[in-house]
Amino acid sequence: MGRLFSPQSIAPLVLFRIFFGGMMLYHLYCMTIDHWIHFFYVLPDFHFTYPGFEWVKPWPGDGMYYHVAVMGIAAAGITVGLFYRCSAVAFFLGYTHLFLIEKALYQNHCYLICLLSGLMIVIPAHRAGSLDAYFGIVRQSNAAPTWALWLLRLQLGIPYFYGGLAKLNYDWLHSQPLTLWLARRHDAPLVGSLLTNEQAPFLFSYGGILLDLLIVPALLWRPTRPLAYLAALCFHLMNALLWDIGIFPWFMIGATLIFFPAESLRKLFRFPPIDVQSDPPPRSTTRLQKLQLAGLALFCSWQLLLPFRHYLYPGDVSWSEEGHHFAWHMMLREKDVGIRFYVVDPSSGERGLIRVEDFLNERQLSRMGKDADMVIDFVHHVRDHYLELQDRKLEIYVLNLAALNGRKAQLLMDPTIDYAAVERQWAPQPWIVPLSEPFRSEGWTAPLDQWETVLDLDLPAVMQIRPQVQRRRTDKP
């Protein structure tokens, strides 16, 4: 245990702190100029929530703009190392709040930012190269405990390794959904013509598996380190060229440097060496250090076990979405969805369709039908909306069809259940219809109208269920 507290150069932590803070400032800038705060957090009257976090809500009025402004100040504080601990806490709480408000905005790199910003609170990355050290707020030191560097390496290595494990599934090994995606990127600059080659999807699929599973040990082993970083660089540049995944490729290009030896980074960026007299190796482990180790062990165990929770649910996680979040399942599925909500007012006998577009914005519409939990969350919103404003208790049925990775469309949810009467649950959702088509087929072939007839759900739209209050327009600017 004493080795984890032995001092080594603080250079990697200082460089990561400056890079992380700078990237977060850029991330917030992009969110601002793209009107993300206005469109996703201010305008919508309804937000999809994570189970157990329904209480997390946006601030009223202009509160979300002030929220992001405070996050920007905190990110700047992390970058320059001014009031570093307070800045890290403020950014972690602010970004995690943004993340938890809207489930439809889930992206793996946003989850990674939440985790890394939380780790920055406990990592002493401000003891050098910071305004805190310059002004004497903290004791300046060129050393940091070994555990801090390895904690960052573990957190950055997890998305790589678990992303590779997740690719070991039937569809990915048969080059889906990459076959579908690469065919649409034939006009990509520089590499478009190569993507039309019939072997390209297999090359990308198996190359992705090998890189994700082997990149961390290859970066840690000196003989393969330069080649491994070159492979990671090419991988992330290709992702940035082909897919719209925000800052993630650029962030990982810089963050992956943390796997280089601390002494090499110290010499490269000309940090002063460790003063052995002021930072001697520990002779024994103190009680406080043992408590720190217990906390680290608990956090690491959580991170290593949580991605496997989808095995607690039956069926294909890409189909059911149960256990999909927080498991580093990246770019594993294309799911074409068709969905309709049917309403019955048992007191009057009226029946009809919900005008979903009057309740949700484009992003919410595109994500909802893929996830049964989000569908139920929306049904409850409509149910409560009418119960509160009209004292009207509605039955709500859902016709939800999905085509996974090129298969034929099939039912995702049982259409005979009144979803206004069921509750969200952590346990497996019994209303999810198991995936019955194991192989690729001719794709989407079942119009919703045809399924309505087959399932005897042809309800005439004698009423249109719309919000009973005037809503602000939520079309994307």
Side-chain angles (χ1 to χ4, degrees), residues 262-302:
E263 190 62 18
S264 298
L265 293 174
R266 182 194 72 77
K267 293 178 180 178
L268 179 64
F269 291 94
R270 299 183 179 180
F271 272 76
I274 297 174
D275 186 347
V276 179
Q277 292 184 345
S278 59
D279 292 291
R283 295 182 178 180
S284 61
T285 305
T286 66
R287 179 175 298 180
L288 177 60
Q289 289 174 337
K290 290 179 180 179
L291 288 175
Q292 288 177 317
L293 286 177
L296 292 174
L298 184 63
F299 174 82
C300 294
S301 298
W302 167 50

Side-chain angles (χ1 to χ4, degrees), residues 47-50 52-59 96-102:
H47 295 277
F48 289 103
T49 60
Y50 295 91
F53 291 94
E54 294 86 355
W55 53 274
V56 181
K57 303 291 184 184
W59 302 112
T96 303
H97 181 225
L98 281 183
F99 176 80
L100 292 174
I101 288 173
E102 181 56 75

